[in-house]
Amino acid sequence: GLGLTMDLDALIQHFFETEDPTTLTAADYELGLERLKLGFGLEREPGRKFALWTLLDALGAAPLPAEAFAKEPALKAAAEDYLSAAFRLERFGDEPA
């Protein structure tokens, strides 16, 4: 694997300073998103960086894999695989292939 796995709840608590994101005001959400983007930009550990990118993707704010992981080809490939799997799931759901 990519090393350290991140707990989504812990990430949300860390960047958005709440356990319940539905309670955030728009301003608090934007502030948390900025902190998350900054954290992603500064993160050097590959597993953590990928986890932060997937959270950004879930929030609709992730940079494209080629931009996000320009110097990390393995992470770029993993991010592209993640996006194509997410697209298939969204498009085809649970239908048998």
Side-chain angles (χ1 to χ4, degrees):
L2 288 170
L4 185 67
T5 56
M6 297 294 293
D7 178 350
L8 190 59
D9 292 334
L11 286 177
I12 290 168
Q13 172 74 52
H14 179 75
F15 290 104
F16 294 92
E17 298 179 344
T18 182
E19 288 175 12
D20 183 2
T22 63
T23 65
L24 290 170
T25 65
D28 286 340
Y29 175 79
E30 288 301 320
L31 193 63
L33 195 55
E34 283 308 308
R35 282 194 293 256
L36 177 57
K37 288 176 181 175
L38 187 64
F40 172 79
L42 296 172
E43 184 57 60
R44 292 289 162 256
E45 199 283 309
R48 287 176 61 97
K49 186 163 184 158
F50 190 78
L52 296 180
W53 181 85
T54 59
L55 180 54
L56 281 167
D57 182 66
L59 298 172
L64 292 171
E67 294 167 27
F69 305 112
K71 296 185 174 89
E72 297 132 326
L75 289 182
K76 177 179 169 285
E80 288 166 346
D81 290 347
Y82 175 88
L83 290 181
S84 79
F87 174 77
R88 283 196 302 275
L89 195 62
E90 202 173 276
R91 182 131 184 239
F92 304 112
D94 293 333
E95 293 174 25

